[in-house]
Amino acid sequence: MTALWTAPAPAFHGRYVDFDYVDAHPRPVQNGGPRIVIGGHSPAAFRRAVARGHGWFGNGTIDDLVNHLAGLAKAAAEVDRPPRLGRLEISFLPLDPVQVSADDARRYADLGVDRLVVYPLPLEDPDDVAAFLERHATLPH
Protein backbone atom coordinates (compact mmCIF):
# COMPACT_ATOMS: atom_id res chain seq x y z
CA MET A 1 0.00 0.00 0.00
CA THR A 2 2.83 2.38 0.78
CA ALA A 3 4.25 1.88 -2.71
CA LEU A 4 0.82 2.58 -4.23
CA TRP A 5 0.47 5.70 -2.13
CA THR A 6 3.95 7.16 -2.61
CA ALA A 7 5.92 5.78 -5.57
CA PRO A 8 5.78 7.49 -8.98
CA ALA A 9 5.71 4.05 -10.66
CA PRO A 10 4.35 1.73 -7.97
CA ALA A 11 5.82 -1.75 -7.85
CA PHE A 12 6.31 -4.28 -5.10
CA HIS A 13 7.99 -7.67 -5.13
CA GLY A 14 7.48 -9.55 -1.89
CA ARG A 15 6.93 -13.07 -0.69
CA TYR A 16 3.13 -12.95 -1.02
CA VAL A 17 2.53 -9.93 -3.24
CA ASP A 18 4.14 -9.12 -6.55
CA PHE A 19 3.06 -6.28 -8.85
CA ASP A 20 4.35 -3.91 -11.53
CA TYR A 21 2.58 -1.33 -13.68
CA VAL A 22 -0.20 -0.73 -11.17
CA ASP A 23 -1.28 2.65 -9.97
CA ALA A 24 -4.03 3.89 -7.71
CA HIS A 25 -5.76 7.25 -7.81
CA PRO A 26 -6.71 9.46 -6.18
CA ARG A 27 -3.59 9.47 -4.05
CA PRO A 28 -3.95 10.13 -0.32
CA VAL A 29 -3.94 13.80 0.63
CA GLN A 30 -1.54 13.19 3.53
CA ASN A 31 2.07 13.02 2.36
CA GLY A 32 3.24 9.41 2.63
CA GLY A 33 -0.31 8.10 2.86
CA PRO A 34 -2.50 7.40 5.86
CA ARG A 35 -0.92 6.47 9.15
CA ILE A 36 -0.82 2.72 9.67
CA VAL A 37 -1.65 1.36 13.12
CA ILE A 38 -1.08 -2.34 13.73
CA GLY A 39 -2.70 -4.29 16.52
CA GLY A 40 -1.99 -7.64 18.08
CA HIS A 41 -0.18 -9.27 20.95
CA SER A 42 1.96 -11.91 19.27
CA PRO A 43 5.69 -11.62 18.58
CA ALA A 44 4.89 -11.43 14.85
CA ALA A 45 2.39 -8.59 15.42
CA PHE A 46 4.98 -6.70 17.47
CA ARG A 47 7.57 -7.11 14.67
CA ARG A 48 5.03 -5.92 12.04
CA ALA A 49 4.18 -2.87 14.15
CA VAL A 50 7.85 -1.95 14.57
CA ALA A 51 8.80 -2.57 10.94
CA ARG A 52 5.74 -1.22 9.14
CA GLY A 53 3.44 0.75 11.42
CA HIS A 54 3.26 4.31 12.61
CA GLY A 55 1.58 2.97 15.72
CA TRP A 56 0.57 -0.09 17.70
CA PHE A 57 -2.88 -0.70 19.24
CA GLY A 58 -3.37 -3.09 22.12
CA ASN A 59 -5.82 -3.91 24.86
CA GLY A 60 -5.97 -5.70 28.18
CA THR A 61 -4.99 -4.93 31.74
CA ILE A 62 -2.18 -2.63 32.79
CA ASP A 63 -0.10 -5.75 33.53
CA ASP A 64 -0.79 -6.94 29.97
CA LEU A 65 0.45 -3.59 28.71
CA VAL A 66 3.75 -3.99 30.54
CA ASN A 67 4.20 -7.38 28.84
CA HIS A 68 3.17 -5.99 25.44
CA LEU A 69 5.64 -3.12 25.74
CA ALA A 70 8.37 -5.64 26.54
CA GLY A 71 7.35 -7.56 23.42
CA LEU A 72 7.55 -4.39 21.34
CA ALA A 73 11.00 -3.61 22.77
CA LYS A 74 12.17 -7.13 21.90
CA ALA A 75 10.79 -6.72 18.37
CA ALA A 76 12.60 -3.37 18.03
CA ALA A 77 15.87 -5.21 18.73
CA GLU A 78 15.06 -7.80 16.05
CA VAL A 79 13.78 -5.78 13.09
CA ASP A 80 14.70 -2.50 11.43
CA ARG A 81 12.36 0.48 11.72
CA PRO A 82 12.38 2.79 8.71
CA PRO A 83 13.16 6.38 9.78
CA ARG A 84 10.16 7.65 7.75
CA LEU A 85 7.85 6.03 10.32
CA GLY A 86 9.18 8.05 13.25
CA ARG A 87 8.60 6.93 16.82
CA LEU A 88 6.12 4.07 17.29
CA GLU A 89 2.98 5.55 18.86
CA ILE A 90 1.21 3.43 21.46
CA SER A 91 -2.59 3.29 21.74
CA PHE A 92 -4.19 1.15 24.42
CA LEU A 93 -7.73 0.13 25.39
CA PRO A 94 -7.85 -0.89 29.07
CA LEU A 95 -10.26 -3.75 29.71
CA ASP A 96 -9.90 -3.80 33.49
CA PRO A 97 -11.03 -1.67 35.16
CA VAL A 98 -13.61 -0.24 32.78
CA GLN A 99 -13.63 3.00 34.77
CA VAL A 100 -10.29 4.78 34.38
CA SER A 101 -9.24 7.25 37.07
CA ALA A 102 -6.93 10.21 36.58
CA ASP A 103 -4.22 8.24 38.46
CA ASP A 104 -4.74 5.30 36.08
CA ALA A 105 -4.43 7.63 33.07
CA ARG A 106 -1.17 9.06 34.45
CA ARG A 107 0.19 5.54 35.02
CA TYR A 108 -0.59 4.60 31.39
CA ALA A 109 1.10 7.80 30.21
CA ASP A 110 4.13 7.07 32.40
CA LEU A 111 4.40 3.64 30.75
CA GLY A 112 4.51 5.32 27.33
CA VAL A 113 0.90 5.23 26.14
CA ASP A 114 0.25 8.06 23.70
CA ARG A 115 -3.47 7.44 23.27
CA LEU A 116 -5.63 5.86 25.98
CA VAL A 117 -8.91 4.64 24.51
CA VAL A 118 -11.79 4.34 26.96
CA TYR A 119 -14.88 2.41 25.94
CA PRO A 120 -18.06 1.75 27.93
CA LEU A 121 -17.90 -2.02 27.29
CA PRO A 122 -20.59 -3.39 29.63
CA LEU A 123 -22.98 -0.43 29.39
CA GLU A 124 -26.11 -0.60 27.27
CA ASP A 125 -28.31 2.19 28.55
CA PRO A 126 -27.65 5.41 26.56
CA ASP A 127 -27.79 7.51 29.75
CA ASP A 128 -25.15 5.29 31.38
CA VAL A 129 -22.95 5.56 28.27
CA ALA A 130 -23.30 9.36 28.27
CA ALA A 131 -22.40 9.51 31.98
CA PHE A 132 -19.39 7.26 31.35
CA LEU A 133 -18.17 9.54 28.57
CA GLU A 134 -18.69 12.65 30.70
CA ARG A 135 -16.68 11.12 33.58
CA HIS A 136 -13.81 10.24 31.25
CA ALA A 137 -13.79 13.48 29.23
CA THR A 138 -11.72 15.24 31.86
CA LEU A 139 -8.92 12.66 32.09
CA PRO A 140 -5.45 14.17 31.66
CA HIS A 141 -4.13 14.06 28.10
Side-chain angles (χ1 to χ4, degrees), residues 9-96:
F12 183 83
H13 305 288
R15 182 173 176 188
Y16 300 106
V17 177
D18 187 69
F19 65 84
D20 273 316
Y21 310 107
V22 175
D23 212 344
H25 291 276
R27 294 281 176 106
V29 173
Q30 185 173 343
N31 190 20
R35 298 183 61 71
I36 298 171
V37 178
I38 297 172
H41 305 133
S42 69
F46 295 143
R47 288 190 300 272
R48 275 191 300 276
V50 169
R52 300 192 181 273
H54 295 95
W56 173 79
F57 190 101
N59 63 31
T61 66
I62 200 156
D63 292 331
D64 293 331
L65 173 62
V66 171
N67 292 329
H68 300 328
L69 293 173
L72 287 164
K74 183 175 187 293
E78 298 172 352
V79 298
D80 291 329
R81 181 165 180 78
R84 69 176 174 76
L85 294 175
R87 185 182 66 80
L88 184 69
E89 292 181 1
I90 306 297
S91 298
F92 195 74
L93 170 66
L95 299 178
D96 183 37

Side-chain angles (χ1 to χ4, degrees), residues 2 59 78 100 116 132:
T2 302
N59 63 31
E78 298 172 352
V100 177
L116 187 62
F132 174 93

